Amino acid sequence: MTCSASTTLTWIHLQKLVALAFLSPIAARANSMTSMFLAGGPTEGKYLAHWPEYFIVAEAPGGELMGYIMGKAEGSVAREEWHGHVTALSVAPEFRRLGLAAKLMELLEEISERKGGFFVDLFVRVSNQVAVNMYKQLGYSVYRTVIEYYSASNGEPDEDAYDMRKALSRDTEKKSIIPLPHPVRPEDIE
């Protein structure tokens, strides 16, 4: 089974975003994301108001939530750092390995192309090799390692992240994906 023609891909509206906070099995992640996307100061939160085109959900024919992707556009055009950013990508376990994550990523990349982005980036836990391998299959490469990017709970140590990138057509020389030779810390990320 693959991501079929009967799968509905739509942009998220406010009611759908709130509904995500209460749906299972990806509810926990959606719930924590909801406040981030609706509240916050001028540089955080309010994602939905600023970048509604970067919020896409996939629904099964019966209306069941299959997955979603949320992102934004950010960076500097002058420094050739204007890009699309994947903030969250989640697919419910029963809908994995159908090509849905790849389709959602493709849509976000297309939006970033239309906005004149040089690349698309995302952060992923170093330990999440399933996701790292999936992103590599989609053409992403590790740009840099960010030390202790993810905060741990229950006394566990913080976890490193990979900042993975995929160059878009505007980056003809692929400068945006040349890996950094050394790791960075979260406070070093612009």
Side-chain angles (χ1 to χ4, degrees):
M1 183 176 189
T2 60
C3 182
S4 70
S6 62
T7 300
T8 303
L9 299 169
T10 59
W11 280 269
I12 296 176
H13 51 80
L14 183 58
Q15 290 171 315
K16 181 73 70 178
L17 183 61
V18 172
L20 283 175
F22 301 104
L23 293 174
S24 198
I26 55 178
R29 180 169 176 135
N31 192 28
S32 68
M33 302 302 259
T34 301
S35 63
M36 183 169 115
F37 296 126
L38 294 177
T43 59
E44 61 185 13
K46 298 185 181 132
Y47 281 39
L48 186 58
H50 288 95
W51 303 284
E53 66 278 15
Y54 278 98
F55 287 66
I56 305 165
V57 294
E59 293 178 298
E64 184 178 2
L65 178 67
M66 299 169 71
Y68 63 89
I69 192 165
M70 300 177 181
K72 64 180 179 175
E74 64 183 1
S76 164
V77 175
R79 294 189 316 210
E80 297 184 4
E81 294 176 356
W82 180 249
H83 65 281
H85 174 73
V86 178
T87 305
L89 171 65
S90 189
V91 176
E94 62 270 28
F95 296 110
R96 292 181 183 160
R97 302 203 177 277
L98 303 177
L100 184 56
K103 183 62 179 175
L104 291 167
M105 290 294 293
E106 178 185 329
L107 291 170
L108 189 137
E109 291 163 11
E110 289 172 2
I111 293 163
S112 299
E113 279 280 4
R114 287 195 305 269
K115 289 188 163 292
F118 289 90
F119 60 93
V120 171
D121 81 340
L122 58 93
F123 292 89
V124 62
R125 292 177 186 274
V126 170
S127 65
N128 190 349
Q129 283 301 301
V130 171
V132 169
N133 291 335
M134 179 194 71
Y135 293 127
K136 285 182 178 180
Q137 288 177 338
L138 296 176
Y140 287 77
S141 58
V142 175
Y143 171 69
R144 60 187 168 187
T145 300
V146 184
I147 298 169
E148 298 177 341
Y149 180 79
Y150 290 103
S151 298
S153 59
N154 302 328
E156 296 291 321
D158 291 345
E159 188 171 350
D160 297 349
Y162 288 138
D163 177 355
M164 298 186 76
R165 293 184 176 188
K166 181 178 183 177
L168 298 176
S169 63
R170 189 170 183 188
D171 183 5
T172 57
E173 297 178 26
K174 309 293 184 220
K175 293 179 192 176
S176 65
I177 61 171
I178 298 170
L180 292 184
H182 53 80
V184 299
R185 300 201 62 80
E187 59 268 18
D188 300 327
I189 299 173
E190 294 181 19

